[in-house]
């Protein structure tokens, strides 16, 4: 129990015999044995009550987890029901290439340093925030 072997136990008993005396040693042994048994009972009772509390907490966590799973399932089904189709995502009037991210001549932006003729000549168009211009296709001569 306390890591006491037979030689240590014999030494303790010899010291107790010398200190207490042979007349009171049997009564002291009974008292110590009763105290040790009560201490063991109290420790076991505490351990059992802690295990019961822990089991109750585990059960409440399981119930909470189930509730969260139900909420997750509900939110997932709600989100999938409200997700628009790909056809609804593209603005009306754009063809599939424009919807895929390719630029169209109507939406190209001309920077301040470029004029319309250089943009028509095939120079790259530099986007500038807030400035949009229509670009007419260049006539090949």
């Amino acid at each position: 129990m306390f890591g006491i072997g037979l030689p240590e136990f014999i030494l303790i008993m010899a010291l107790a015999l010398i200190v207490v005396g042979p007349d009171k040693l049997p009564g002291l042994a009974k008292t110590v044995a009763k105290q040790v048994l009560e201490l063991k009972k109290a420790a076991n009772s505490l351990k059992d009550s802690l295990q019961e509390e822990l089991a109750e907490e585990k059960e409440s966590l399981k119930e909470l987890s189930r509730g969260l799973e139900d909420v997750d399932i509900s939110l997932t089904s709600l989100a999938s029901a409200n997700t628009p189709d790909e056809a609804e995502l593209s603005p009306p009037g754009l063809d599939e290439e424009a919807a895929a991210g390719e630029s169209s001549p109507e939406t190209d932006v001309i920077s301040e340093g470029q004029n319309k003729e250089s943009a028509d000549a095939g120079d790259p168009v530099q986007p500038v925030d807030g400035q949009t211009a229509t670009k007419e296709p260049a006539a090949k001569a």
Side-chain angles (χ1 to χ4, degrees), residues 94 98 102-110 125 127 131-135:
L94 291 180
E102 296 180 9
S103 64
S104 67
E106 292 82 21
T107 60
D108 285 347
V109 176
I110 299 176
V125 176
Q131 294 182 351
T132 60
T134 58
K135 183 169 87 172

Side-chain angles (χ1 to χ4, degrees), residues 53-136:
E53 289 291 325
L54 185 62
E56 290 173 9
E57 291 299 321
K58 281 183 179 179
E59 184 61 34
S60 97
L61 284 175
K62 285 181 183 178
E63 290 175 14
L64 181 63
S65 176
R66 283 187 220 118
L68 288 175
E69 288 174 1
D70 292 343
V71 168
D72 183 40
I73 291 170
S74 298
L75 288 176
T76 303
S77 65
L78 182 62
S80 65
N82 289 336
T83 303
D85 295 338
E86 286 185 27
E88 294 174 3
L89 291 177
S90 63
L94 291 180
D95 59 357
E96 291 179 10
E97 291 175 356
E102 296 180 9
S103 64
S104 67
E106 292 82 21
T107 60
D108 285 347
V109 176
I110 299 176
S111 68
E112 292 177 20
Q114 278 184 318
N115 59 23
K116 192 170 181 177
E117 291 79 30
S118 65
D120 290 339
D123 292 339
V125 176
Q126 300 294 326
V128 175
D129 291 341
Q131 294 182 351
T132 60
T134 58
K135 183 169 87 172
E136 298 173 7

Side-chain angles (χ1 to χ4, degrees), residues 17-35:
L17 183 61
I18 293 170
V19 172
V20 176
D23 295 337
K24 295 182 181 179
L25 188 60
L28 180 64
K30 278 185 179 180
T31 304
V32 169
K34 286 180 184 179
Q35 294 298 322

